[in-house]
């Protein structure tokens, strides 16, 4: 009986005292601590390339802004000139209908007839590959036209101004096509210097 009484009188232990205490964190050894120096250097390098000063940014963009201003000014100038030309065209009278091409003479006689035949033939063979026979025929036509123009110019008894105007127009007509331009040059070379068209 005495033993049971003693057991009852003993104080109870608290639950907090019965739990084991949590371990205190210990500092990591030095060999585990990460080296942040390379990362810091990398961050500094990146910031150097990405965070340019405002002044440097303006200097870098200055040529771009200048080019944009020049392009805008050129576009405005072009638009202004285009409008001016459009106003001038609107003020012009209606165009005179183009003259119909002269009919091709069956048997050329005058200098104008020969010029018409020469010009027509030059347009016909443009860009074509000629046979030797066709080429010889074209060369013969060029000589014929040159001789006809030269003889007609020398034998023409019109007033000098009218004669120069007429044969000048013939030569200008031949000069307009590359296949007949050589005839015009040959005629000018054969005319004496004192008689050449002004």
């Amino acid at each position: 009986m005495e033993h049971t009484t003693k057991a009852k009188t003993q104080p109870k232990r608290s639950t907090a005292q019965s739990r084991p205490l949590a371990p205190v964190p210990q500092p990591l050894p030095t060999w585990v601590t990460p080296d942040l120096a390379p990362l810091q250097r990398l961050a500094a390098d990146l910031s150097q390339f990405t965070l340019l000063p405002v002044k440097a940014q303006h200097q870098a963009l200055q040529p771009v802004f200048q080019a944009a201003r020049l392009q805008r000014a050129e576009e405005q100038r072009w638009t202004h000139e285009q409008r001016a030309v459009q106003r001038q065209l609107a003020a012009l009278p209606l165009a005179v209908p183009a003259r119909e091409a002269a009919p091709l003479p069956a048997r050329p006689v005058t200098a104008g007839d020969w010029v018409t035949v020469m010009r027509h033939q030059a347009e016909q063979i443009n860009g074509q590959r000629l046979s030797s026979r066709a080429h010889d025929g074209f060369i013969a036509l060029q000589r014929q036209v040159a001789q006809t123009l030269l003889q007609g110019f020398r034998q023409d008894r019109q007033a000098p101004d009218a004669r120069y105007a007429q044969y000048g127009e013939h030569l200008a007509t031949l000069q307009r096509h590359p296949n007949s331009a050589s005839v015009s040059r040959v005629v000018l070379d054969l005319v004496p210097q004192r008689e050449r068209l002004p």
Side-chain angles (χ1 to χ4, degrees), residues 6 10 41 45 63 84 87 106 109 133 135 159 184 190 192-193:
K6 282 183 184 177
Q10 284 181 355
R41 283 195 300 271
D45 292 342
R87 284 194 299 269
V109 179
R133 183 174 179 182
H135 181 265
S184 177
L190 293 175
Q193 185 72 32

Side-chain angles (χ1 to χ4, degrees), residues 87-94:
R87 284 194 299 269
Q88 291 174 359
L89 289 176
L92 289 176
L94 293 176

